[in-house]
Amino acid sequence: MKKMLFLFGAVLVLFLAGCSKTGENEAKSSQSSPESTVESITISTPKSDKHTQYLKNYVGRNASDTGTERMSGQFMDTYGDANIPLVFITESGEAVTADNIKDYVVESQEPEAGTQIDLTFETSNSGDEYNFPESVSLDEIVLHVKKVDFDN
C-alpha cells in the first residue's frame, strides 16, 4: 500500500511538472494569442554598479523616508559603498531633526534625480580594490522640504 501511494505521488509530481509552463513559454504563447492586447512596458534606467550610482528621486516623499540618522546626528543616504549627507532646507529655516522629520515632505532636490554619482576606490599593491570609496563625485544631497499640512 505504501509503495502504491509513493508511486502515485511520484507520478503526480511528474505530471504537474510536465504541465507547468516556463516564463518563456508563457511569453511566446501570449504573443501569438490574437486576443492578447496588453503590452509589457519596460522603463530603461541606468544600472548601478560599484563605481557608478544614480541619484534617487526624493520629491513627494516624506522626509523620514529619505535616509537614516547616523550616530553623528547627520542624516545620510547610502549609494553603493558611499554614504552621502542629506541637507534639509525648510521654508521657515527651522532645523529638521529626528523629532520633527516626519512633519516634512520633499518639494524639490539638488541635484536632480538620475544624476550620476561616480565612486573611485583605492587599490592595494596587488591591484585589488578596497571596499570603501576613496572619493565620491557628490558631496551632499540638498532636499527642499515643506511642513506637512495635517489639517487637510
Side-chain angles (χ1 to χ4, degrees):
M1 182 68 178
K2 288 183 182 179
K3 286 183 182 181
M4 188 179 253
L5 189 58
F6 175 76
L7 183 60
F8 177 75
V11 170
L12 183 62
V13 168
L14 289 173
F15 175 75
L16 292 174
C19 289
S20 69
K21 293 182 180 180
T22 65
E24 183 178 306
N25 290 338
E26 288 177 9
K28 287 179 184 176
S29 67
S30 69
Q31 289 174 352
S32 62
S33 172
E35 59 273 345
S36 176
T37 58
V38 178
E39 292 184 27
S40 163
I41 298 173
T42 304
I43 298 172
S44 178
T45 55
K47 186 167 178 125
S48 297
D49 64 25
K50 182 176 181 175
H51 299 95
T52 307
Q53 299 287 315
Y54 295 91
L55 193 62
K56 299 173 191 170
N57 185 4
Y58 296 98
V59 176
R61 294 170 63 182
N62 188 285
S64 65
D65 294 331
T66 58
T68 56
E69 183 182 23
R70 305 303 164 93
M71 290 176 64
S72 65
Q74 174 74 50
F75 287 93
M76 297 183 139
D77 202 359
T78 303
Y79 285 86
D81 292 321
N83 295 307
I84 301 177
L86 301 174
V87 177
F88 297 103
I89 299 179
T90 63
E91 296 168 325
S92 65
E94 179 182 6
V96 175
T97 65
D99 295 330
N100 68 1
I101 193 167
K102 290 185 180 198
D103 298 339
Y104 291 94
V105 65
V106 179
E107 283 192 302
S108 64
Q109 70 183 65
E110 298 168 28
E112 65 185 40
T115 298
Q116 183 171 316
I117 304 168
D118 297 313
L119 289 75
T120 56
F121 295 85
E122 190 174 336
T123 56
S124 66
N125 292 339
S126 62
D128 296 327
E129 288 184 331
Y130 294 113
N131 290 333
F132 49 90
E134 180 179 26
S135 69
V136 180
S137 65
L138 186 61
D139 295 328
E140 64 186 15
I141 302 165
V142 177
L143 301 176
H144 297 270
V145 295
K146 72 173 182 175
K147 202 119 180 169
V148 176
D149 184 9
F150 291 107
D151 294 335
N152 290 334

